[in-house]
Amino acid sequence: MEIADGGDPTSAGRALFSTYTIRDVTFRNRIWVSPMCQYSTPDGVPGQWHLVHLGSLAVGGSGLVMTEATAVTADGRISPHDTGIWTDEQADAWAPIAAFAKAQGAVVGLQLAHAGRKASTYRPWETEHGTVPAGDGGWQTVAPSAIAFDGYTTPTELDRDGIRNIVAAFRAGARRAMRAGFDLVEVHAAHGYLLHQFLSPLSNQRTDEYGGTLENRARLLLEITRAVRDEIGDAPLFVRFSASDWVPGGWDAEQTATVARWAADAGADFFDISSGGLHPDQQITVGPGYQVPFAASVRETAGVPVSAVGIITEPAQAAEIVASGQADAVMLARELLRDPHFPLRAAHELGVEIDYWPNQYLRAKWRA
């Protein structure tokens, strides 16, 4: 892993806009797009909305453009309207989206996901909430244990064959992502979805080799990490963690750091650190940069590279997170929805010269 400071190493702005290399992939800066579900397809096939949404983020100067949580199986979708990567048709539809984003200079990544017991739900803006019934296009969900998320239907506990099928689905999804032209993949083990459900003792009450001890609860994630690494060759592999359940007795930053080290040994290169999403009793104190300390803790304890998320909205704030060594990159979500060109604006405000302003937008660079 290489870091090129691109100029004055004491300048926070230059740190934010320095390049970053993982294996053979170089990111033009440290402002990266966090996965953001769009709930905008009925069959898992991305379309024009996804091209324009992700394409605008690439045009706006982000170093990494990551897709939304993209299901590796049909029953792994968060909602019936989520994108997928379980068919060749879906991979073919992703290909021009990835190609356009790459043509704008961004690195493109696909997040491989399975929602587990939090699958088959209504979209956030719909009037109904909770589990979509089978008659309305929903399905039976699965989980490590038959414990329902609050307000959702009870999932079916995965047996060993089901677990093997999950590993195979992540492997196949990674293979299709590479075929579609993505530069990297991320394994989603956060926000209360399936792999996080296996990791947390609050949702995993199994008594076999996939439950109980930390080693057992991490087993599925590590099997998937090895399988995905085997498929993608030398492409970068990210893992996203929730570093805390924000509930006493749940998953925490110490366990996250331990499993991150194990995942690195299994082939993961980089860790995308968020928090929460597993339990309705979570008590979260929200404020600017509120999740950054989790990233800093995992980075220091595990000795692995990380990105930070959590109400990062100002160029100077983002620059300080990277320049201070709390994280190697920042992942932005809502701020990029408000302003897809945040990286260009940040470079302008911080006085950093970059060479990837689109020609069509140069008047915004040259004039106040």
Side-chain angles (χ1 to χ4, degrees):
M1 189 165 302
E2 303 170 5
I3 299 174
D5 64 19
D8 179 4
T10 66
S11 167
R14 292 187 183 278
L16 183 65
F17 283 92
S18 63
T19 59
Y20 190 78
T21 300
I22 302 174
R23 295 181 181 256
D24 292 329
V25 175
T26 297
F27 305 77
R28 59 188 172 186
N29 60 47
R30 316 296 186 90
I31 304 172
W32 297 353
V33 177
S34 190
M36 293 178 279
C37 290
Q38 300 296 293
Y39 308 104
S40 296
T41 175
D43 52 13
V45 178
Q48 290 184 334
W49 177 267
H50 303 87
L51 172 62
V52 174
H53 166 62
L54 295 172
S56 67
L57 295 167
V59 168
S62 293
L64 165 65
V65 173
M66 187 79 76
T67 71
E68 63 196 85
T70 303
V72 297
T73 66
D75 68 354
R77 291 171 292 169
I78 300 168
S79 83
H81 301 276
D82 284 24
T83 58
I85 194 70
W86 71 86
T87 72
D88 291 343
E89 180 188 7
Q90 292 160 352
D92 291 343
W94 277 119
I97 298 171
F100 180 84
K102 290 170 72 170
Q104 313 315 308
V107 172
V108 291
L110 185 135
Q111 188 186 60
L112 301 166
H114 193 297
R117 68 178 186 174
K118 292 178 71 175
S120 188
T121 62
Y122 289 99
R123 292 180 289 188
W125 58 79
E126 294 180 314
T127 56
E128 296 182 88
H129 302 283
T131 303
V132 177
D136 293 335
W139 55 87
Q140 176 61 49
T141 60
V142 298
S145 302
I147 303 171
F149 186 77
D150 190 51
Y152 295 9
T153 58
T154 301
T156 297
E157 180 175 311
L158 282 163
D159 59 19
R160 287 179 176 81
D161 285 342
I163 290 174
R164 282 193 287 271
N165 289 339
I166 294 292
V167 176
F170 272 89
R171 176 189 285 273
R175 181 169 62 250
R176 290 191 178 97
M178 292 294 101
R179 196 189 79 186
F182 286 94
D183 297 303
L184 62 87
V185 296
E186 175 173 88
V187 173
H188 194 359
H191 299 162
Y193 298 123
L194 183 66
L195 299 185
H196 186 184
Q197 292 161 29
F198 269 88
L199 291 170
S200 176
L202 299 178
S203 49
N204 183 348
Q205 297 184 8
R206 300 175 72 96
T207 58
D208 64 3
E209 67 270 31
Y210 290 94
T213 65
L214 180 59
E215 291 83 355
N216 285 353
R217 286 183 278 119
R219 189 180 305 277
L220 177 57
L221 171 61
L222 299 180
E223 289 179 350
I224 288 171
T225 300
R226 295 186 190 100
V228 170
R229 168 53 63 206
D230 187 54
E231 282 295 332
I232 67 174
D234 200 41
L237 172 54
F238 286 27
V239 175
R240 174 166 252 198
F241 283 117
S242 279
S244 175
D245 289 339
W246 298 90
V247 177
W251 183 253
D252 57 27
E254 182 179 355
Q255 294 174 84
T256 301
T258 298
V259 176
R261 286 195 299 269
W262 295 345
D265 290 341
D269 298 302
F270 195 94
F271 299 90
D272 175 4
I273 306 299
S274 185
S275 72
L278 183 104
H279 201 281
D281 293 339
Q282 61 187 17
Q283 298 295 316
I284 304 177
T285 302
V286 177
Y290 73 102
Q291 296 181 113
V292 174
F294 289 126
S297 175
V298 172
R299 188 177 191 265
E300 180 178 1
T301 303
V304 296
V306 303
S307 58
V309 299
I311 313 186
I312 300 169
T313 60
E314 299 295 334
Q317 175 197 17
E320 177 59 25
I321 290 167
V322 174
S324 64
Q326 295 177 85
D328 300 279
V330 291
M331 285 273 202
L332 274 60
R334 290 174 177 83
E335 187 60 26
L336 284 172
L337 295 181
R338 289 185 284 264
D339 179 7
H341 308 122
F342 176 91
L344 300 181
R345 176 166 65 85
H348 180 74
E349 290 186 10
L350 295 170
V352 177
E353 183 67 28
I354 57 174
D355 62 3
Y356 43 87
W357 276 83
N359 290 333
Q360 300 90 332
Y361 292 179
L362 281 176
R363 65 177 64 91
K365 174 186 178 183
W366 291 334
R367 298 179 183 175

